[in-house]
Amino acid sequence: IEFNQIKRLYFISSSSGGTLLKVDEHPILVISAFSPIGIQAIGLGRDESFFVERPDEVRQYQIINIF
């Protein structure tokens, strides 16, 4: 997922998040399916965008790839 020209790898978990994993030296942030990003990203595909409303701004994210 890309935000503000920064690409990050996420793993969407069915229950809990907040853990940072490393796979082949790539950091992967585990997030809950019920987190703001998880809720918006589930069901979308490659090259699709979504918005997350924060208290101070609305952020646009783009799904770069799905593994």
Side-chain angles (χ1 to χ4, degrees):
I1 294 177
E2 182 176 329
F3 165 70
N4 221 12
Q5 298 180 342
I6 298 172
K7 296 177 184 174
R8 293 194 173 134
L9 298 175
Y10 292 91
F11 177 83
I12 300 177
S13 170
S14 62
S15 60
S16 64
T19 303
L20 185 64
L21 306 173
K22 273 197 169 179
V23 176
D24 296 330
E25 299 302 315
H26 297 285
I28 300 173
L29 180 58
V30 179
I31 60 173
S32 166
F34 303 103
S35 68
I37 292 175
I39 289 169
Q40 296 298 321
I42 289 178
L44 297 179
R46 185 178 183 182
D47 295 326
E48 291 190 272
S49 296
F50 61 92
F51 295 90
V52 174
E53 191 171 330
R54 308 257 315 174
D56 57 336
E57 66 182 335
V58 175
R59 294 182 175 182
Q60 181 177 4
Y61 293 86
Q62 182 170 355
I63 298 173
I64 303 300
N65 209 344
I66 298 174
F67 299 97

